[in-house]
Amino acid sequence: SYVLTQPPSVSVAPGQTARIPCGGSDIGSKSVHWFQQRPGQAPRLVVYDDSDRPSGIPERFSGSNSGNTATLTISRVEAGDEADYFCQVWHSLRDHKVFGPGTKVTVL
Amino acid sequence: EVHLVESGGGLVKTGGSLRLSCAASGFTFSSYSLAWVRQAPGKGLEWVSSISRSSLYIYYADSVKGRFTVSRDNAKKSLFLQMNSLRVEDTALYFCVREGDSAKDGGYYFDNWGQGTLLTVSS
């Protein structure tokens, strides 16, 4: 099966930039989607198809994907961005959806 | 506004059964694939099952295949998950999720989530 990797945690000061990697074999050929989950809340889609944002998601959230790593970038980090972030892809060979293990973003 | 409301969670003994339901509103139900995603306490997200618009295509994670059955009723705008032979490791918050179609690779992403319903399986 297809495996995604993410660092367990990322720490960032307010106003700085957080970069969250999502690793996978030739992930650049897949479409990567990102979810934010604040404590006690349901996940929320923040980036889809590598770099598109759903309506209502701030421009501070952006994504990129190439080679073996996709990256979610949060610019001008705010306290409200503190959450778990999960990447997700579609594993076409088995028609399964796969999630990364998640990265906890801490705002210092 | 899209609304997905799950129900049916509860406490069940190992080997038991339970049926989860999801009531949808705010969108054309029959035009979207749907899914169940679960999250064990303190853990990450795990895709469980997906069902296509007309129920023609149905997929399951290996961890639940043969034990869980997903279905939908487009007339009643409802999604269901019948869970049999439950195990302790099935304990989780179960989310009902709407799927969007990826323009890049023909796959899917989860564009709207319910708040979840909690299943606890005890021995």
Side-chain angles (χ1 to χ4, degrees), chain A residues 26-49:
Chain A
D26 194 29
I27 197 173
S29 67
K30 299 180 180 297
S31 191
V32 180
H33 321 294
W34 291 91
F35 304 88
Q36 176 196 65
Q37 187 178 32
R38 294 180 173 130
Q41 295 187 14
R44 175 177 73 150
L45 180 69
V46 293
V47 166
Y48 66 99
D49 283 351

Side-chain angles (χ1 to χ4, degrees), chain A residues 27-33 35 37 40-45 48-50 65 84 86 88-90 92 94-101, chain B residues 35 37 39 43-47 50 59-62 65 93 95 99 101-116:
Chain A
I27 197 173
S29 67
K30 299 180 180 297
S31 191
V32 180
H33 321 294
F35 304 88
Q37 187 178 32
Q41 295 187 14
R44 175 177 73 150
L45 180 69
Y48 66 99
D49 283 351
D50 296 342
N65 184 18
D84 293 323
F86 299 89
Q88 178 249 317
V89 300
W90 173 58
S92 59
R94 300 198 60 197
D95 221 318
H96 285 189
K97 284 80 172 182
V98 180
F99 286 99
Chain B
V37 174
Q39 186 171 35
K43 302 297 184 182
L45 301 172
E46 180 188 16
W47 168 76
S50 292
Y59 305 97
Y60 298 99
D62 292 344
K65 195 168 187 178
L93 188 62
F95 296 101
E99 294 190 347
D101 297 332
S102 170
K104 176 180 173 181
D105 64 358
Y108 308 88
Y109 54 89
F110 306 117
D111 65 1
N112 281 273
W113 297 64
Q115 288 302 307

Side-chain angles (χ1 to χ4, degrees), chain A residues 39-104:
Chain A
Q41 295 187 14
R44 175 177 73 150
L45 180 69
V46 293
V47 166
Y48 66 99
D49 283 351
D50 296 342
S51 58
D52 291 335
R53 279 185 311 277
S55 60
I57 300 301
E59 291 183 5
R60 301 185 298 104
F61 288 83
S62 62
S64 62
N65 184 18
S66 180
N68 293 317
T69 304
T71 303
L72 175 69
T73 301
I74 311 173
S75 303
R76 302 180 299 284
V77 166
E78 303 173 355
D81 298 331
E82 192 161 278
D84 293 323
Y85 291 84
F86 299 89
C87 56
Q88 178 249 317
V89 300
W90 173 58
H91 183 37
S92 59
L93 290 179
R94 300 198 60 197
D95 221 318
H96 285 189
K97 284 80 172 182
V98 180
F99 286 99
T103 296
K104 181 176 181 59

Side-chain angles (χ1 to χ4, degrees), chain B residues 76-93:
Chain B
K76 295 183 178 179
K77 300 181 182 180
S78 296
L79 175 70
F80 306 99
L81 186 67
Q82 176 66 43
M83 304 180 293
N84 300 329
S85 303
L86 284 165
R87 306 167 179 168
V88 171
E89 54 266 35
D90 295 320
T91 295
L93 188 62

Side-chain angles (χ1 to χ4, degrees), chain A residues 3-26:
Chain A
V3 177
L4 296 173
T5 60
Q6 294 182 245
S9 62
V10 167
S11 297
V12 58
Q16 298 304 303
T17 298
R19 293 179 178 85
I20 305 165
C22 174
S25 178
D26 194 29

Side-chain angles (χ1 to χ4, degrees), chain B residues 21-83:
Chain B
S21 300
C22 172
S25 62
F27 64 100
T28 304
F29 186 80
S30 59
S31 295
Y32 289 86
S33 296
L34 301 166
W36 290 97
V37 174
R38 68 184 181 183
Q39 186 171 35
K43 302 297 184 182
L45 301 172
E46 180 188 16
W47 168 76
V48 173
S49 179
S50 292
I51 184 168
S52 63
R53 297 165 180 78
S54 61
S55 304
L56 186 62
Y57 301 103
I58 290 176
Y59 305 97
Y60 298 99
D62 292 344
S63 57
V64 306
K65 195 168 187 178
R67 300 187 298 121
F68 289 12
T69 301
V70 65
S71 61
R72 63 189 291 168
D73 185 332
N74 285 346
K76 295 183 178 179
K77 300 181 182 180
S78 296
L79 175 70
F80 306 99
L81 186 67
Q82 176 66 43
M83 304 180 293

